[in-house]
Amino acid sequence: MTRVLLTGGAGYIGSHTAVALIERGHEVVILDNFANSERDVPARLERLTGRANIPVIEADIRDTGAVSAALAAHPVEAVIHFAALKAVGESEADPLLYYDMNIIGTIRLLQAMQAQNVRRIVFSSSATVYGQPDSSPIPEDAPTRVQNIYGRTKLVMEDLISDLARTGKLQAAANLRYFNPVGAHPSAMIGETPRGVPNNLMPYVTQVATGERPHLNVFGNDYDTPDGTGVRDYIHVVDLARAHALALEHICANDVSLTVNLGTGTGISVLELVRAFERATGREIPLNIAPRRPGDVASYYANPDMAARVFGWQAALDVNDMCRDSWAWQARRAGINDI
Ligand SMILES: NC(=O)c1ccc[n+]([C@@H]2O[C@H](COP(=O)([O-])OP(=O)(O)OC[C@H]3O[C@@H](n4cnc5c(N)ncnc54)[C@H](O)[C@@H]3O)[C@@H](O)[C@H]2O)c1
């Protein structure tokens, strides 16, 4: 059993990881400023897992004193670091906000960990660090060519953590490069709650299905892919959450550091995802073919072999599971009962 502090533990991926950790017998402490999550998430986690009194600290990761006090009050063996801002467009509009929240925030967190002698960390990185890859599947040793400020902050955060591991300040570290997380817990009790217009495809599709948005814009149908639309590696958030638990157990047991892709290794096109969603939900998604967006690439999917080889993780859920669970979550929030 490991006791772990989850920064951003009330958020989308953090909350699912809390469930996965508790199911595997670990203890979690949540630290979140609730800037992008709902305050009743910890209570929902308690109902979902049957675990009472999950400690919750409302604090900003940039507040070293508060994080240090939280670690002193709740001694942990490791931190899983989710807390960050994550919108590419916003990062280009306000770079300093992203440097401050993501990079300075991570430095402050690492200082608090050092002050409390917590020397193991699992970090939420992103496949966005590969930028425009030469080809897919993308292995971990592909060049990193960040294309935007958000991606830059992720790469700097990875480097900070790798440097501390290399110099022995951290005992064990995992930089996890997520591909495209989608879906929700099958209970429909936790899921993604994007504010405003969703940046990602699946939340947008679910909002078209509820009637909140009239149609889905498909940005480009003339890519060099089987149906002309962009191909991505969608990964069910429940699979992703389980990967965190396995990565944590691996680095804690072996005191090692690694950087690893988390994807299914299977590319799914926009049209394939939409058709799977329509099949899974019985709802039609009207489409509008729009011009390509600058910076988008035709295909982007993981070589996921390292995660399988090193800590025995493979995605188990497919695109149908992703669509069914995304819809169950969104429909429940929208008060739709025909599922
Ligand atoms: N969702 C994706 O598509 C995706 C893909 C790749 C990587 N990531 C990374 O995974 C991590 C989690 O993403 P998510 O989708 O769960 O996002 P999310 O916004 O749902 O979760 C982040 C959580 O961190 C909290 N938070 C933000 N800034 C904070 C701060 N300064 N102090 C304390 N808490 C703070 C938010 O309130 C939220 O609960 C992020 O680091 C993100 O960059 C996400």
Side-chain angles (χ1 to χ4, degrees):
M1 190 278 288
T2 305
R3 200 161 191 229
V4 201
L5 180 107
L6 310 184
T7 74
Y12 173 46
I13 302 167
S15 59
H16 288 82
T17 301
V19 173
L21 290 167
I22 291 169
E23 282 174 350
R24 293 178 69 84
H26 302 298
E27 279 187 18
V28 302
V29 177
I30 290 174
L31 184 141
D32 205 300
N33 67 356
F34 295 96
N36 198 37
S37 46
E38 293 170 321
R39 285 180 185 280
D40 67 340
V41 167
R44 282 188 253 151
L45 289 175
E46 289 182 357
R47 281 206 305 281
L48 182 51
T49 60
R51 177 77 58 91
N53 302 320
I54 296 173
V56 180
I57 295 104
E58 182 169 349
D60 193 298
I61 51 164
R62 292 167 300 175
D63 184 345
T64 310
V67 179
S68 200
L71 290 171
H74 304 278
V76 297
E77 286 95 70
V79 167
I80 306 185
H81 179 28
F82 299 99
L85 297 179
K86 60 170 185 174
V88 169
E90 187 185 44
S91 76
E92 290 288 297
D94 196 346
L96 288 174
L97 174 69
Y98 272 65
Y99 296 148
D100 184 42
M101 204 68 102
N102 292 0
I103 298 175
I104 303 289
T106 298
I107 293 172
R108 297 283 176 258
L109 170 70
L110 291 165
Q111 286 169 330
M113 289 171 61
Q114 192 159 302
Q116 296 301 326
N117 201 27
V118 178
R119 299 181 61 216
R120 297 183 178 100
I121 191 166
V122 174
F123 169 60
S124 296
S125 189
S126 168
T128 196
V129 298
Y130 296 117
Q132 304 253 3
D134 294 325
S135 61
S136 282
I138 309 170
E140 286 82 357
D141 60 4
T144 48
R145 302 180 180 128
V146 292
Q147 305 277 310
N148 53 60
I149 304 285
Y150 168 68
R152 166 94 50 228
T153 67
K154 285 284 150 186
L155 196 55
V156 172
M157 293 151 89
E158 275 195 9
D159 286 345
L160 294 171
I161 288 166
S162 298
D163 282 347
L164 293 193
R166 183 176 53 76
T167 54
K169 307 286 184 222
L170 287 170
Q171 203 167 329
N175 290 319
L176 306 182
R177 292 179 174 165
Y178 313 159
F179 278 68
N180 294 68
V182 297
H185 193 270
S187 65
M189 287 174 71
I190 51 172
E192 190 174 10
T193 48
R195 302 218 164 131
V197 182
N199 291 310
N200 296 332
L201 178 62
M202 184 68 96
Y204 206 104
V205 168
T206 59
Q207 292 190 5
V208 173
T210 61
E212 280 168 75
R213 307 199 180 273
H215 57 254
L216 173 73
N217 285 315
V218 177
F219 297 107
N221 65 350
D222 56 354
Y223 283 109
D224 184 16
T225 60
D227 63 24
T229 64
V231 165
R232 297 291 179 272
D233 188 338
Y234 298 98
I235 169 173
H236 197 298
V237 67
V238 168
D239 275 333
L240 186 61
R242 184 170 49 86
H244 286 73
L246 294 175
L248 176 82
E249 289 165 11
H250 173 75
I251 65 161
C252 288
N254 299 291
D255 276 342
V256 287
S257 298
L258 50 92
T259 295
V260 64
N261 285 338
L262 294 177
T264 64
T266 303
I268 305 272
S269 76
V270 175
L271 290 184
E272 281 175 318
L273 185 110
V274 169
R275 299 299 168 234
F277 186 90
E278 290 179 330
R279 273 197 312 277
T281 65
R283 300 221 156 198
E284 196 191 334
I285 305 299
L287 301 178
N288 173 49
I289 304 300
R292 293 181 181 195
R293 288 183 302 195
D296 276 358
V297 295
S299 281
Y300 211 91
Y301 55 93
N303 176 334
D305 294 351
M306 188 193 282
R309 196 174 60 248
V310 176
F311 51 88
W313 175 85
Q314 258 184 317
L317 300 166
D318 67 14
V319 67
N320 300 312
D321 302 310
M322 299 176 203
C323 293
R324 183 199 58 226
D325 295 337
S326 295
W327 176 235
W329 162 249
Q330 184 65 30
R332 181 172 175 162
R333 292 178 68 76
I336 295 169
N337 296 317
D338 67 343
I339 53 167

